[in-house]
Amino acid sequence: MSVNLFEQHFDVSPEGTASAPGRVNLIGEFTDYNDGWVLPCALQFRCHVAWRRREDNTITAVSREYPDEIDSFQACDEYKPSTRPWANYIRAIVAALRSEGYVTQGIDLALWSDVPQGRGLSSSAALEVALLGALNSAFNWNIDGAEIAKLGQLSENAFIGCQCGIMDQLISTKAQPGAALLLDCQSLEAISVTIPKQWSIVILDSNYPRKLVDSEYNARRADCEAACAAMTIPSLRAADTQRLAACRDTLTATQYRRAAHVLEENKRVKATAAALQQADLAAVAEQLANGHHSLANHYEVTVPATDALVAIAKAELGNRVAARQTGGGFGGAVVCLCHRDDVPQLLNAVERDYTQRTGLKATTFVCEAGTGLEVNNNG
Ligand code: ADP
Ligand code: MG
């Protein structure tokens, strides 16, 4: 497929290809910007990039998902946004590379992706990491995985204008097949945690129209920062339950609840990783249930639609399913883990009850834990 798309546009075969996955976060919500732990896993959905170097300095890109649009710019240009939003991701990667001293020459790029866009599965990180993998291979830079992830994050932070953490790019770069990654967002240490083969990852997108996401997200961050200031610590990583309790009078009730969520969520991430390793679904289910409860009551970022999806899953399968809202909140998706034999029953229950309870229709994805960045250089 890649090769066809590339050859159609450029009349020559590519020199190489790279691909990288989208992701879902199993648990560890709002812990990334508090220097804590997260437990994401890559999906089987991937973005692919085929490439061939050029003799000149022109970078040309096409995407299967945006047919009949070609973006072209000079490798040495300063970052100038394109009128095509998708093309800005490519320009942003080139700009991030340049800002770190890597200068590309001309290259032709064809990309295509089956990561659903704009659904919180991080199609943007998949694109960034695949593209960085392609350029790294094309120009022999030997950039390592952690640096690729940082460059992807930098491209979004500095050029796209999205203040994402590093989780998405790190999991997309480093994921091992069939495993989640226990990531320390402070040290960037990553430990692979196998997901039992018989389990499926089911993503239930609520399709709830998200509102006020950015302002509420920033308000939560500000609450955490205020809690740190009151406790005179650099980040919530440096806090523990005793310290938080001792400082209770210096915090507002809201700040206290936010900080308590983060401290407990860090514990849940580690407990979930341990339970996964033991293939103990009931224990994973308990952690995710507590996580969702805390998102609803302490961090206050769930909506009736995602609460309903969790309730439907639990009413149907009890502790045979682990379910919680995942992502930035105020809508988005619920992630579930269950035995693969239980997937039809889970999907059936959602189909039967969700619209009736909310008036909305869910979009569902049955997933398995995918592989991180893969690069193939024919040269
Ligand atoms: P998410 O990362 O949750 O999918 P974002 O809004 O961060 O959502 O990123 C989605 C954007 O990434 C798309 O609107 C598009 O600009 C770009 N993108 C993702 N996949 C592709 C693709 N295959 N081709 C071109 N651009 C893509
Ligand atoms: Mg994104």
Side-chain angles (χ1 to χ4, degrees):
M1 179 67 216
S2 62
V3 179
N4 285 348
L5 182 73
F6 189 93
E7 285 173 356
Q8 266 166 31
H9 280 277
F10 302 113
D11 270 338
V12 52
S13 2
E15 284 181 303
T17 56
S19 70
R23 65 93 190 93
V24 67
N25 190 18
L26 299 180
I27 194 161
E29 217 62 77
F30 308 103
T31 46
D32 58 346
Y33 58 73
N34 287 301
D35 287 345
W37 287 267
V38 290
L39 189 68
C41 92
L43 304 175
Q44 74 271 32
F45 304 125
R46 303 180 76 79
C47 181
H48 302 255
V49 178
W51 55 269
R52 184 176 194 93
R53 285 165 301 164
R54 295 168 58 111
E55 299 294 322
D56 61 12
N57 260 331
T58 306
I59 298 178
T60 301
V62 294
S63 165
R64 184 187 68 183
E65 278 61 58
Y66 297 86
D68 307 321
E69 294 187 16
I70 297 181
D71 191 55
S72 223
F73 58 100
Q74 292 304 303
C76 47
D77 280 354
E78 286 306 302
Y79 179 73
K80 258 196 267 105
S82 158
T83 51
R84 302 179 182 95
W86 68 268
N88 287 333
Y89 286 87
I90 293 157
R91 295 180 179 215
I93 286 291
V94 172
L97 281 164
R98 186 173 330 105
S99 73
E100 294 299 301
Y102 301 98
V103 181
T104 66
Q105 281 140 353
I107 193 163
D108 288 331
L109 301 161
L111 47 129
W112 74 104
S113 174
D114 58 7
V115 186
Q117 290 182 27
R119 289 194 176 269
L121 304 182
S122 218
S123 68
S124 59
L127 192 167
E128 290 148 22
V129 170
L131 182 58
L132 282 161
L135 297 174
N136 188 29
S137 172
F139 299 112
N140 280 313
W141 287 324
N142 285 318
I143 308 177
D144 70 20
E147 194 58 30
I148 284 190
K150 284 186 200 159
L151 284 161
Q153 183 196 18
L154 175 65
S155 77
E156 290 218 30
N157 291 169
F159 300 100
I160 299 292
C162 168
Q163 296 311 311
C164 60
I166 189 131
M167 171 174 80
D168 302 353
Q169 289 82 5
L170 258 185
I171 181 73
S172 186
T173 307
K174 294 196 166 188
Q176 306 281 320
L181 266 192
L182 175 60
L183 282 178
D184 179 339
C185 297
Q186 189 170 56
S187 68
L188 303 190
E189 184 193 9
I191 299 169
S192 185
V193 183
T194 305
I195 298 180
K197 280 201 173 44
Q198 314 81 340
W199 297 13
S200 292
I201 303 152
V202 182
I203 298 167
L204 311 170
D205 186 336
S206 68
N207 285 319
Y208 178 84
R210 298 174 87 201
K211 281 180 284 223
L212 296 173
V213 180
D214 290 346
S215 57
E216 290 294 333
Y217 183 91
N218 292 339
R220 297 299 179 282
R221 270 187 99 137
D223 288 337
C224 292
E225 282 159 18
C228 289
M231 287 189 276
T232 59
I233 49 173
S235 82
L236 286 175
R237 174 68 170 251
D240 58 27
T241 319
Q242 288 80 5
R243 179 148 194 173
L244 181 63
C247 294
R248 189 164 194 156
D249 292 345
T250 62
L251 302 177
T252 66
T254 302
Q255 289 161 359
Y256 181 84
R257 280 201 308 278
R258 307 296 190 240
H261 164 80
V262 173
L263 299 194
E264 293 303 313
E265 185 80 349
N266 278 326
K267 291 184 199 161
R268 284 188 286 268
V269 173
K270 292 180 197 167
T272 304
L276 264 182
Q277 232 136 18
Q278 314 261 309
D280 185 344
L281 183 54
V284 172
E286 188 185 349
Q287 296 302 326
L288 267 65
N290 292 342
H292 187 82
H293 180 268
S294 181
L295 289 176
N297 298 293
H298 300 145
Y299 226 69
E300 297 173 283
V301 291
T302 69
V303 292
T306 51
D307 291 338
L309 283 169
V310 170
I312 292 165
K314 299 301 283 181
E316 190 67 23
L317 292 176
N319 67 2
R320 279 160 41 220
V321 65
R324 68 169 200 100
Q325 178 182 284
T326 185
F330 306 99
V334 163
V335 61
C336 306
L337 285 163
C338 66
H339 195 285
R340 63 170 173 236
D341 293 347
D342 282 335
V343 171
Q345 196 183 337
L346 174 62
L347 295 181
N348 211 18
V350 171
E351 178 73 31
R352 188 189 63 217
D353 295 343
Y354 181 62
T355 305
Q356 199 192 353
R357 283 177 72 154
T358 63
L360 297 164
K361 199 164 168 26
T363 307
T364 58
F365 304 96
V366 180
C367 302
E368 52 203 61
T371 308
L373 172 63
E374 288 184 327
V375 177
N376 171 26
N377 190 329
N378 307 326

